[in-house]
Amino acid sequence: MRLGGVGLYSSSSSFSSSVFVFDHYHHLAPKPFSAYTSSKKPLLTTFSPKRRSTMTLPSAALFSQNPVVSDVVATALSGSVAFSLLQLLKETATRGIFDQKLNRKLVHISIGIAFMLCWPLFSPGSRGAWLAATIPGLNIIRMLILGLGLWKDEATVKSMSRFGDYRELLKGPLYYVIAIALVCIIYWRTSPISIVAICNLCAGDGVADIIGRRFGSIKIPYNRNKSIAGSIAMVSASFLASVGFMYYFSLFGYMERSWEMVLGFWIVALASALVESLPISTDLDDNLTVPATSILVGILVF
């Protein structure tokens, strides 16, 4: 007899039933990144990594037997994490605990990284990606409302802007949440491109500014607004955060760890730091140029 699509047989063998249930969930578990790639030979073939077994989890319905309900709960939890961080850093900005520029960069670093840490809560497939993307999506609306002056919130403006001007939210902060939302929808958690795009944008660019302001006495010859210390910090932070997320997602079976991927992270981090140091990143906005560079170079190397 089959009940509820899960499979309960009238067999007297409990072992057979348990095997069937395990196979059902194993089928629902997300596939490694290699399963989604084509047979085209990748650009990076320097290393021949050892294949390591990864743990695949039944993430199709983590909070409920109904995967839709589970994804809604995951969305609520992820949104709560993001909102709590924003409220905390809004409070630090109001109280003047950190310098305004430092507070702004703490928002820049923490929100995207915390958001990506919540991705395993969602089910595989497009529904999970789209529901996860509603979190930065709501912040897109928020930036528009605040940046257009339709809603006054001086504490939020102060925590996210350089000079306390609400119109600044229509530039860097808006580009930031748009980039994260698009990466989430298009690449999701099975692609290393999503890792490099968000890690370079959040960890790399954020740490570069913090270190550059404190230890950036030696400027880059072709851009006196940027420092060598800041660029080195960006490469290091981007690379380490990317490798960390590779290991994190591999625990859930979303991708397989490999030396080729590690080398790819290093190349993308270097390319993103180089573009970030160019005057064009200042003229446009590094919240545009950094994720764009990460995605374009990532397409070539992964």
Side-chain angles (χ1 to χ4, degrees), residues 171 175 223 225 278-286 288-289:
K171 297 179 181 179
Y175 303 153
N223 188 356
N225 294 319
L278 297 175
I280 189 175
S281 287
T282 303
D283 296 336
L284 294 175
D285 194 288
D286 49 19
L288 282 176
T289 57

Side-chain angles (χ1 to χ4, degrees), residues 80-154:
S80 298
V81 170
F83 178 77
S84 299
L85 272 174
L86 286 172
Q87 288 298 110
L88 173 63
L89 292 168
K90 176 180 174 180
E91 190 67 21
T92 59
T94 301
R95 296 176 179 273
I97 296 175
F98 302 117
D99 173 78
Q100 183 172 342
K101 292 182 175 63
L102 175 59
N103 201 97
R104 174 175 168 269
K105 284 302 174 181
L106 291 176
V107 173
H108 189 95
I109 294 169
S110 62
I111 296 302
I113 296 297
F115 172 59
M116 193 158 58
L117 284 171
C118 293
W119 284 4
L121 299 177
F122 294 86
S123 67
S126 60
R127 184 186 61 239
W130 278 96
L131 282 174
T134 60
I135 297 166
L138 290 174
N139 276 293
I140 291 173
I141 298 172
R142 188 162 171 253
M143 293 302 102
L144 288 171
I145 293 174
L146 289 171
L148 292 171
L150 301 176
W151 175 33
K152 304 295 183 181
D153 188 342
E154 293 183 5

Side-chain angles (χ1 to χ4, degrees), residues 53-286:
S53 60
T54 55
M55 178 177 63
T56 55
L57 299 179
S59 60
L62 186 61
F63 301 105
S64 169
Q65 293 298 320
N66 187 324
V68 176
V69 173
S70 181
D71 277 340
V72 171
V73 174
T75 304
L77 287 175
S78 301
S80 298
V81 170
F83 178 77
S84 299
L85 272 174
L86 286 172
Q87 288 298 110
L88 173 63
L89 292 168
K90 176 180 174 180
E91 190 67 21
T92 59
T94 301
R95 296 176 179 273
I97 296 175
F98 302 117
D99 173 78
Q100 183 172 342
K101 292 182 175 63
L102 175 59
N103 201 97
R104 174 175 168 269
K105 284 302 174 181
L106 291 176
V107 173
H108 189 95
I109 294 169
S110 62
I111 296 302
I113 296 297
F115 172 59
M116 193 158 58
L117 284 171
C118 293
W119 284 4
L121 299 177
F122 294 86
S123 67
S126 60
R127 184 186 61 239
W130 278 96
L131 282 174
T134 60
I135 297 166
L138 290 174
N139 276 293
I140 291 173
I141 298 172
R142 188 162 171 253
M143 293 302 102
L144 288 171
I145 293 174
L146 289 171
L148 292 171
L150 301 176
W151 175 33
K152 304 295 183 181
D153 188 342
E154 293 183 5
T156 297
V157 171
K158 186 176 181 180
S159 68
M160 295 185 179
S161 63
R162 286 186 173 92
F163 307 109
D165 186 349
Y166 66 88
R167 290 169 294 187
E168 290 181 60
L169 301 186
L170 296 177
K171 297 179 181 179
L174 179 61
Y175 303 153
Y176 175 91
V177 290
I178 289 175
I180 291 177
L182 290 177
V183 166
C184 178
I185 292 170
I186 297 171
Y187 294 103
W188 198 210
R189 61 197 182 193
T190 57
S191 172
I193 295 176
S194 63
I195 292 178
V196 293
I198 293 180
C199 287
N200 289 346
L201 172 62
C202 300
D205 185 43
V207 172
D209 186 81
I210 294 173
I211 298 299
R213 290 183 184 279
R214 283 158 177 73
F215 307 103
S217 57
I218 303 177
K219 302 298 182 181
I220 295 175
Y222 53 82
N223 188 356
R224 306 303 296 178
N225 294 319
K226 302 292 182 178
S227 67
I228 293 177
S231 292
I232 293 174
M234 180 172 181
V235 174
S236 301
S238 300
F239 174 70
L240 292 175
S242 296
V243 172
F245 269 102
M246 177 191 71
Y247 275 88
Y248 178 63
F249 284 155
S250 71
L251 292 176
F252 300 92
Y254 304 144
M255 58 184 61
E256 292 185 0
R257 305 189 296 270
S258 72
W259 285 110
E260 286 102 330
M261 194 177 293
V262 171
L263 179 58
F265 290 151
W266 179 252
I267 292 173
V268 177
L270 286 172
S272 298
L274 174 61
V275 171
E276 193 271 344
S277 71
L278 297 175
I280 189 175
S281 287
T282 303
D283 296 336
L284 294 175
D285 194 288
D286 49 19

